[in-house]
Amino acid sequence: MPIVTFLPSGKTFEVAEGTLLFDAAMNAGLPVASSCGAEQVCGRCNMSVILGADNLSPRREWENQLLSRDKKPKTDRISCMTKIMGDCTVTTTYW
């Protein structure tokens, strides 16, 4: 099972393959910014991928549009759209 690490806390959690980044963070007790309740609309739940970008589900066009709209860096992912397929390390500005 994949291990996700959340920085700066350094918390690590084992998750089932296919778990959304959003759900992994919430289950770890971390706050996740969202005004749409993970309905894949607002884009506020973006997280920066530090390690393991290749271990996440591929980006879809809608995710690219949200990141572009909000002028987010290419290392960011919308957590409610991104599935964990292998080990990764993420962070966000609101932790």
Side-chain angles (χ1 to χ4, degrees), residues 11-89:
K11 290 182 179 183
T12 60
F13 293 89
E14 191 172 65
V15 299
E17 187 174 316
T19 299
L20 291 170
L21 273 175
F22 185 98
D23 293 335
M26 294 292 286
N27 291 337
L30 297 169
V32 180
S34 175
S35 64
C36 71
E39 294 293 323
Q40 303 181 357
V41 177
C42 73
R44 292 184 179 171
C45 64
N46 66 296
M47 296 181 187
S48 295
V49 181
I50 306 301
L51 294 170
D54 292 341
N55 293 330
L56 301 173
S57 60
R59 283 192 186 164
R60 298 186 334 241
E61 183 57 32
W62 179 238
E63 182 179 10
N64 288 331
Q65 289 176 13
L66 288 175
L67 290 168
S68 177
R69 177 196 73 189
D70 296 337
K71 297 177 177 66
K72 299 296 181 185
K74 295 196 182 292
T75 55
D76 278 15
R77 296 297 304 267
I78 304 297
S79 68
C80 68
M81 297 181 181
T82 305
K83 293 180 181 179
I84 302 166
M85 308 309 286
D87 296 353
C88 63
T89 301

